[in-house]
Amino acid sequence: MTGFAAVVAVVALLTGYGAGRVRPWRRLGDWAQDQVRFAGSWARGRTIRQAVLVLAHVVTAPRAS
C-alpha cells in the first residue's frame, strides 16, 4: 500500500509541476481577453460562444472585466 501511495504522490507532484509550467489558467485568460477585445470573431460568434467567452474572461481576470 505504501508503494501505491508513493506512486500517487509522485504523479500528483509531476502533474502540479506540469500545470505550473504550462499555466493553463493564464493561457485561457489571455485567449479570452484577445477574443473579447478584437471584435471580428466576437461579432460572428453565437450567443452561447459569447457567453462562454465572457464567463472565461470574468473568471480568469475579474479586475480587467
Side-chain angles (χ1 to χ4, degrees), residues 21-57:
R21 297 291 291 169
V22 174
R23 299 178 191 240
W25 194 254
R26 180 173 289 177
R27 288 179 188 246
L28 175 65
D30 291 345
W31 175 80
Q33 184 177 7
D34 288 343
Q35 293 295 313
V36 170
R37 183 183 310 156
F38 301 115
S41 61
W42 173 256
R44 288 189 303 259
R46 295 183 180 232
T47 306
I48 295 173
R49 182 175 190 273
Q50 291 174 356
V52 169
L53 283 174
V54 168
L55 180 65
H57 189 256

